[in-house]
Amino acid sequence: MQWETVIGLEIHAQLSTQSKIFSASATTFGAEPNTQASLVDLGMPGTLPVLNAEAVRMACQFGLAIDAEIAERNVFARKNYFYPDLPKGYQTSQMDHPIVGKGFLDITLEDGTVKRIGITRAHLEEDAGKSLHEDFQGMSGIDLNRAGTPLLEIVSEPDIRSAKEAVAYVKAIHALVRYLGICDGNMAEGSLRCDCNVSVRPKGQAEFGTRREIKNVNSFKFIERAINTEIEWQIDEIESGNKIVQETVLYDVAANKTKSMRSKEEANDYRYFPCPDLLPVVIEQSFLDDLRAKLPELPPQKRERFESQYALSTYDASVLSASRELADYFEVVAKTCGDAKLAANWVMGELSSLLNKDNLEIDQSPVSAEQLGGMILRIKDNTISGKIAKMVFEALAAGEGATADEVIDKKGLKQVTDSGAIEAMLDEVLAANAEQVEQYRASDEAKRGKMFGFFVGQAMKASKGKANPGQVNELLKKKLEG
């Protein structure tokens, strides 16, 4: 039987506010346990929440960016359940009246096609604390630093049909929230987490299968692996005559398995009701108009501009606009050197390779955009060749000079462009390889092509890579055929 996968994602984005959603406690990552939890976060009797206006602004920004309906009146509710890291006994969230309604996000698939993924809603809520099991033998520790941290939960429609599509969607959300500046997107620190609702059904069937929710997956790689593992498990179960039971599962990275955590709850299990401590939030149109006017250029618009303004391919423009920081870096390089294509090649090539090797983000690059742009200028004016440029780039990355010019002067890497000097060097190379010269002249055109590369290599070796490659090729051809 042919199977079709149906996936819906719930992404929890931690909003980049300075304080929590209902208290003045800080949200800094990595603080000592329980040092960032106020009486409000601890759920002490008599304390009252005060809504953080920045969280509302950020949620509205997101809604505008996905062309969504933004509720004029939205309401906070209490989601009731007991867990040791939830001291109030309920989570303040939004249920029937979320701040952001239906919207959409377009994703680009591997074959270049664009697919539209519907977004059901995005609502504000507070995070729970964290239970720590590793450091306490036979006990659990509770850290309430995260309790009350503002989250925007982004719920997709079940429009996703494969693990790769799911990753493309999460990457698009990740890029969007970072462009907007509303979430740092640091998945390792839990700033962006994903719950994956996965089901399978026979191809052609309209009715959805029974879904299982994979909870709290925090990397693109694990999202893909977890979903594929779950799909395989569900198909095996059904084909073995078993029924899928709706439940929440965890992905075990080491075993590459999804493991049952608890039966999947429905909304009525949480006894939602409007929070009596918080008034409804009323969003005025003038507020939205002001926010819309201040929205930054978003990834799709930036990609289109890179294609038209810099004549880049769709692929190059997509890669360079994937993050706001990378796009800004590229534009400074292109402006400095005046050659967008060369700038794109170096940013996507040598620079990306360096960052990947050292596991660095673009804002941690040891080579600044101005330094890279200045180095490309020296390639363009023939001060250095492309090969020597790699040596200059490595020296800049190692901190051996403040500018490309300084490195070139210090290491004596200036390209030899004097025709007389190159001719004299070529005469020496040909004299030292007289036998190969005779073979070349006696060969047909096909063999000459292969042998020519040998002479170019010898010439560049003799010049220690400093001779201008174009001049070497031109003069060598004349001498061999003269």
Side-chain angles (χ1 to χ4, degrees):
M1 185 179 288
Q2 293 292 306
W3 297 94
E4 181 179 52
T5 304
V6 178
I7 301 166
L9 299 180
E10 299 167 17
I11 295 172
H12 296 80
Q14 178 179 326
L15 298 176
S16 298
T17 55
Q18 295 299 305
S19 58
K20 295 184 179 179
I21 190 166
F22 299 122
S23 81
S25 300
T27 56
T28 313
F29 178 80
E32 284 296 309
N34 298 307
T35 57
Q36 295 182 169
S38 71
L39 296 178
V40 175
D41 308 321
L42 296 172
M44 291 298 177
T47 57
L48 288 172
V50 177
L51 179 59
N52 188 332
E54 271 296 281
V56 174
R57 181 185 67 80
M58 290 176 175
C60 290
Q61 273 188 293
F62 179 80
L64 293 171
I66 62 165
D67 203 22
E69 305 160 5
I70 296 176
E72 181 185 341
R73 183 178 181 274
N74 56 96
V75 177
F76 281 96
R78 289 186 178 180
K79 179 182 181 181
N80 296 274
Y81 67 95
F82 172 79
Y83 206 71
D85 61 18
L86 192 73
K88 293 187 295 189
Y90 62 85
Q91 178 191 28
T92 305
S93 181
Q94 293 183 319
M95 179 58 184
D96 296 325
H97 304 284
I99 189 165
V100 176
K102 286 188 178 294
F104 64 86
L105 191 65
D106 291 334
I107 62 171
T108 304
L109 305 179
E110 285 184 338
D111 62 1
T113 58
V114 174
K115 180 172 181 176
R116 178 158 292 184
I117 306 297
I119 293 177
T120 311
R121 57 187 279 150
H123 60 264
L124 287 166
E125 64 182 20
E126 61 180 341
D127 205 352
K130 190 175 183 182
S131 298
L132 308 167
H133 311 292
E134 296 82 10
D135 302 329
F136 304 92
Q137 195 171 0
M139 297 182 292
S140 292
I142 302 295
D143 179 8
L144 295 173
N145 279 351
R146 285 195 70 89
T149 297
L151 301 178
L152 184 67
E153 181 173 341
I154 304 156
V155 183
S156 83
E157 294 282 341
D159 292 342
I160 299 165
R161 294 293 174 266
S162 71
K164 286 196 180 297
E165 280 187 20
V167 172
Y169 170 76
V170 178
K171 284 184 174 178
I173 291 284
H174 184 266
L176 179 58
V177 296
R178 291 186 70 188
Y179 261 81
L180 292 169
I182 65 172
C183 174
D184 65 22
N186 192 324
M187 299 177 85
E189 293 181 0
S191 296
L192 195 126
R193 312 189 297 269
C194 186
D195 298 340
C196 313
N197 290 283
V198 181
S199 66
V200 297
R201 63 183 176 187
K203 264 201 170 160
Q205 177 179 300
E207 185 186 346
F208 291 145
T210 302
R211 77 185 188 278
R212 300 211 311 169
E213 181 182 34
I214 311 168
K215 202 77 178 165
N216 283 336
V217 193
N218 67 346
S219 83
F220 301 127
K221 180 173 74 174
F222 292 154
I223 288 168
E224 183 169 359
R225 284 173 57 184
I227 289 174
N228 281 332
T229 299
E230 178 63 21
I231 292 167
E232 194 176 318
W233 181 86
Q234 288 193 23
I235 291 171
D236 284 347
E237 282 291 294
I238 297 169
E239 290 182 345
S240 299
N242 300 319
K243 283 192 173 181
I244 303 298
V245 177
Q246 185 171 322
E247 59 186 342
T248 300
V249 301
L250 290 175
Y251 175 59
D252 185 327
V253 175
N256 193 29
K257 284 182 179 178
T258 49
K259 297 181 177 179
S260 180
M261 182 182 171
R262 60 176 183 262
S263 60
K264 174 70 177 166
E265 303 91 345
E266 300 291 350
N268 59 5
D269 293 322
Y270 292 113
R271 296 180 294 114
Y272 280 96
F273 61 85
C275 180
D277 292 338
L278 289 160
L279 290 168
V281 181
V282 177
I283 308 291
E284 294 179 351
Q285 189 58 46
S286 58
F287 175 74
L288 294 179
D289 291 342
D290 185 55
L291 275 185
R292 194 187 301 275
K294 293 175 182 173
L295 279 180
E297 184 181 41
L298 299 175
Q301 291 89 56
K302 197 175 287 284
R303 184 181 66 244
E304 288 171 13
R305 180 170 65 81
F306 279 9
E307 287 183 50
S308 59
Q309 183 177 336
Y310 298 117
L312 297 179
S313 67
T314 301
Y315 174 79
D316 287 0
S318 297
V319 171
L320 292 168
S321 61
S323 83
R324 191 172 180 174
E325 296 83 1
L326 182 63
D328 290 346
Y329 186 102
F330 160 73
E331 292 216 78
V332 172
V333 176
K335 186 178 178 183
T336 304
C337 72
D339 190 320
K341 186 58 185 168
L342 260 181
N345 290 344
W346 274 91
V347 171
M348 293 167 60
E350 294 298 314
L351 180 74
S352 292
S353 177
L354 171 71
L355 297 178
N356 289 337
K357 182 174 66 106
D358 295 336
N359 198 26
L360 299 172
E361 296 294 328
I362 187 69
D363 56 3
Q364 300 169 308
S365 173
V367 180
S368 71
E370 291 81 5
Q371 284 177 320
L372 182 54
M375 189 199 77
I376 295 172
L377 271 177
R378 294 298 158 258
I379 301 172
K380 288 182 67 185
D381 66 14
N382 286 325
T383 300
I384 55 174
S385 64
K387 189 172 182 180
I388 293 174
K390 292 183 179 181
M391 295 165 61
V392 176
F393 181 80
E394 287 170 8
L396 287 170
E400 295 176 19
T403 64
D405 289 340
E406 189 179 315
V407 172
I408 293 164
D409 290 342
K410 192 187 292 184
K411 292 182 173 284
L413 296 174
K414 193 171 182 181
Q415 186 169 236
V416 178
T417 55
D418 183 311
S419 296
I422 293 174
E423 283 204 59
M425 180 267 295
L426 289 177
D427 289 338
E428 290 178 18
V429 168
L430 297 179
N433 295 278
E435 190 177 331
Q436 285 86 347
V437 173
E438 290 306 316
Q439 289 175 5
Y440 176 90
R441 288 174 175 161
S443 299
D444 58 26
E445 202 63 38
K447 282 186 180 177
R448 282 187 174 191
K450 290 179 183 177
M451 294 183 72
F452 188 75
F454 163 77
F455 292 114
V456 171
Q458 292 299 306
M460 295 310 291
K461 186 178 175 182
S463 72
K464 296 180 180 175
K466 294 180 187 176
N468 180 286
Q471 287 177 276
V472 167
N473 276 268
E474 185 184 341
L475 293 170
L476 190 57
K477 204 168 186 72
K478 285 180 182 175
K479 286 182 177 293
L480 284 169
E481 293 177 3

